[in-house]
Amino acid sequence: MPHDATDNLMPELACYGLAGHSAAPADLLAEAARAEELGLGSILLSERFALKDAAVMAGAAVAATSRIGVGTAATNHNTRHPLVTATMAATLHRMSGGRYALGLGRGIPMLFDIMGLPHVTSAQLEDAIGLFRTLWAGGAVIGHDGPAGSYPYLAQDSSFDEDIPVLLMAMGDNQLRLAGRIADGVVLHTFMSDAAVERCVRLVRESAERAGRDPASVRVWSVMATIEDSLDEAARLRKLVGRLATYLTGYGDVLVRVNDWDPAGLERFRADERLSAHSGALDATDDLDLLRHAADVLPDEWLATAAVGSAAHCADRIEGQLALGADSVVLHGATPDELAPVLAEWRRRRDPDRFAHLDANPGRIRSRRDASAADTAANAAEAAERPDTARPREDLPS
């Protein structure tokens, strides 16, 4: 039977649930359902230690949807015992029917210092992911002593054979190479220049190839702040200059280095008296004058990494990210409703066959052969539902 256009998911696109700051986590239920209704392929979830717990949000998103992919992007392996994290992922995997991907990142060193936790290293991440995969495969971990910690005995269920994709959040070279070597997918960072995105994709693919993997099997998500014209000025500035300023406050040196930006721009930002006097995250302020001032302080080149403008322009920018080698694009910092005009424009111009190899799970890519077979089966099933007008049928009058 015919399907409404919104029934067709666009696996190449995702959004974040509860983008930015939220005091109402229950909003995620409606956001996830709306993301699925509008055709977004996945909803990703970042963790904040207040009202955005990764496990709770992922469970809510899975329960509120039936087809859309769900991924944590990200949580940290060092904030939970490995058996707790493995159980979280296995539960979400089963609950979602395979739509869930576990996303891990390095986090912010300064925050870990405050929490009394060790900084995350590549060796720790690789070790932790090995523990998770052993447990998901039904194995037991006995007498483990490695970078992720010492564990006398870890086990879940010997009958397990769970294929749970692992996403890594990556900006720096070491993390990108680690992702290419061991991860199922990689999620880049917001406010990356075209040159940075292209370079990141290349590093991931090269690392995968050196590890003996198919470079095309690692799913790469670019992350692009997307601010469509219909938003009011305050919202546009919060999502653009406020969000970039917040990142620069937390790890500006890394972002500047990754983009090969002039460090003088960061020094000017840090030295600005009005901005440095502001307490709290700039992407949560209602001070329009301060946001306008921040826009004047931050270099135009840095702000131009976001997609800002008409729905058509934002759709052009999506195409631009794909042209740089990314498999998929996260439209960052906006709710599904705020993205609706962009999604409608993108749907109008996209070719669905181009993305048939992208799985509903944000951490997985199907082989081209599997994708072709799945499409053939889907077309046959749809044809079987349609009345055959070419010849008489026993259940229809001839």
Side-chain angles (χ1 to χ4, degrees), residues 306-322:
V308 183
S310 67
H313 172 72
C314 293
D316 288 341
R317 292 297 307 279
I318 292 171
E319 182 59 51
Q321 296 293 289
L322 297 173

Side-chain angles (χ1 to χ4, degrees), residues 94 135-139 155-161:
R94 290 279 186 99
L135 294 168
W136 296 335
Q156 287 185 292
D157 189 321
S158 61
S159 70
F160 272 10
D161 186 17

Side-chain angles (χ1 to χ4, degrees), residues 8-367:
N8 301 319
L9 296 183
M10 297 180 283
E12 71 275 17
L13 297 183
C15 71
Y16 268 87
L18 298 180
H21 304 266
S22 174
D27 290 347
L28 178 62
L29 297 168
E31 283 189 17
R34 182 61 171 151
E36 185 170 78
E37 179 185 3
L38 290 171
L40 281 159
S42 295
I43 186 166
L44 303 183
L45 306 161
S46 62
E47 186 165 55
R48 290 177 186 263
F49 296 115
L51 291 171
K52 292 174 69 173
D53 177 84
V56 174
M57 289 194 300
V62 164
T65 59
S66 61
R67 295 172 297 120
I68 195 171
V70 177
T72 48
T75 186
N76 306 112
H77 83 274
N78 61 337
T79 56
R80 295 176 178 85
H81 189 280
L83 189 58
V84 175
T85 301
T87 300
M88 175 187 83
T91 304
L92 289 162
H93 169 71
R94 290 279 186 99
M95 183 184 293
S96 67
R99 294 183 287 130
Y100 173 74
L102 173 66
L104 299 169
R106 287 181 178 272
I108 302 175
M110 182 171 61
L111 178 61
F112 290 149
D113 289 340
I114 295 171
M115 295 171 69
L117 293 173
H119 294 184
V120 175
T121 66
S122 294
Q124 290 172 358
L125 277 169
E126 187 166 6
D127 194 30
I129 291 168
L131 295 175
F132 300 149
R133 286 174 170 161
T134 296
L135 294 168
W136 296 335
V141 176
I142 301 173
H144 181 84
D145 186 12
S150 299
Y151 304 103
Y153 181 77
L154 303 175
Q156 287 185 292
D157 189 321
S158 61
S159 70
F160 272 10
D161 186 17
E162 314 303 301
D163 180 16
I164 305 173
V166 174
L167 296 167
L168 280 183
M169 313 305 110
M171 275 199 296
D173 290 5
N174 288 341
Q175 189 83 339
L176 290 162
R177 294 190 178 103
L178 177 66
R181 193 168 72 249
I182 69 169
D184 300 287
V186 57
V187 180
L188 304 181
H189 200 276
T190 327
F191 300 109
M192 277 191 170
S193 68
D194 285 358
V197 171
E198 191 170 36
R199 179 177 177 275
C200 288
V201 172
R202 184 178 71 252
L203 284 176
V204 170
R205 306 286 189 217
E206 289 175 351
S207 178
E209 190 168 24
R210 282 196 298 271
R213 308 177 67 194
D214 176 4
S217 69
V218 184
R219 186 167 181 175
V220 179
W221 288 87
S222 73
V223 184
M224 183 173 64
T226 306
I227 303 125
E228 198 266 337
D229 276 344
S230 61
L231 300 177
D232 63 42
E233 182 187 8
R236 294 198 306 271
L237 288 173
R238 274 196 300 271
K239 293 172 184 294
L240 181 61
V241 299
R243 181 59 54 85
L244 177 54
T246 299
Y247 291 150
L248 292 173
T249 301
Y251 40 88
D253 294 299
V254 176
L255 201 52
V256 166
R257 184 172 65 251
V258 166
N259 282 301
D260 197 24
W261 286 338
D262 185 350
L266 181 61
E267 294 172 7
R268 185 167 59 254
F269 167 78
R270 287 173 169 168
D272 187 273
E273 293 182 359
R274 286 189 65 187
L275 296 177
S276 61
H278 177 74
S279 60
L282 203 62
D283 60 347
T285 186
D286 292 322
D287 188 336
L288 187 55
D289 287 339
L290 184 62
L291 290 168
R292 288 170 176 161
H293 175 69
D296 291 334
V297 172
L298 294 172
D300 291 340
E301 173 195 3
W302 300 10
L303 297 173
T305 57
V308 183
S310 67
H313 172 72
C314 293
D316 288 341
R317 292 297 307 279
I318 292 171
E319 182 59 51
Q321 296 293 289
L322 297 173
L324 295 170
D327 299 296
S328 314
V329 183
V330 183
L331 307 180
H332 186 249
T335 67
D337 278 330
E338 290 170 340
L339 292 171
V342 178
L343 299 176
E345 174 62 24
W346 178 250
R347 185 184 293 281
R348 185 187 64 78
R349 62 172 76 180
R350 71 189 288 269
D351 176 8
D353 292 340
R354 179 184 179 188
F355 306 107
H357 64 293
L358 297 179
D359 196 85
N361 188 303
R364 186 178 291 122
I365 286 183
R366 297 182 287 169
S367 71

Side-chain angles (χ1 to χ4, degrees), residues 379-390:
N379 291 337
E382 185 173 349
E385 292 181 357
R386 295 195 299 264
D388 188 346
T389 57

